[in-house]
Amino acid sequence: QVQLVESGGGLVQAGGSLRLSCAASGSIFSIRAMGWYRQAPGKQRELVADTSSSGGTNYADSVKGRFTISRDNAKNTVYLQMNSLKPEDTAVYYCKVVLHTGYGAWGQGTQVTVSS
């Protein structure tokens, strides 16, 4: 099994910044991709950003230029630096890890609230 521990959520004013972290542990042999998703009330869960083992990154159009995803392979940790936050970024943010075996695991979620 893979365990994911997220941290870094909270309440911030519009224009502020937050940094999310997600550390993976357990039966990890090779991580293929790590990413962040979010789900706002009444909406479907959506991809925010992800990064592959080769270093490639992918961002939702709504966060390009404001959010940056990075990973520390030695620590099996992925980060999401969120700048210039907007009220519409308010959501529960979930970390997801996909192993080379195809196995995927989700974190428990961390609340991000941006006040106007």
Side-chain angles (χ1 to χ4, degrees):
Q1 288 188 343
V2 176
Q3 293 81 44
L4 301 177
V5 178
E6 301 165 352
S7 60
L11 173 64
V12 65
Q13 288 189 332
S17 298
L18 285 174
R19 188 190 193 211
L20 305 182
S21 299
C22 173
S25 62
S27 302
I28 299 174
F29 300 102
S30 183
I31 295 177
R32 185 176 75 198
M34 304 181 81
W36 291 94
Y37 291 71
R38 68 186 180 187
Q39 187 167 18
K43 295 187 177 181
Q44 290 188 332
R45 190 172 298 188
E46 63 176 1
L47 173 70
V48 177
D50 62 13
T51 177
S52 66
S53 56
S54 63
T57 57
N58 180 44
Y59 293 92
D61 288 342
S62 59
V63 306
K64 284 180 180 177
R66 300 188 298 122
F67 292 9
T68 302
I69 190 170
S70 61
R71 62 191 280 180
D72 184 333
N73 290 328
K75 296 181 179 179
N76 291 322
T77 299
V78 63
Y79 307 94
L80 186 67
Q81 178 66 44
M82 305 185 292
N83 299 328
S84 302
L85 282 160
K86 304 175 181 180
E88 51 263 43
D89 294 318
T90 295
V92 178
Y93 284 69
Y94 297 90
C95 172
K96 183 178 182 181
V97 168
V98 180
L99 305 183
H100 279 283
T101 59
Y103 176 84
W106 290 93
Q108 79 281 3
T110 184
Q111 177 70 46
V112 171
T113 302
V114 184
S115 63
S116 58

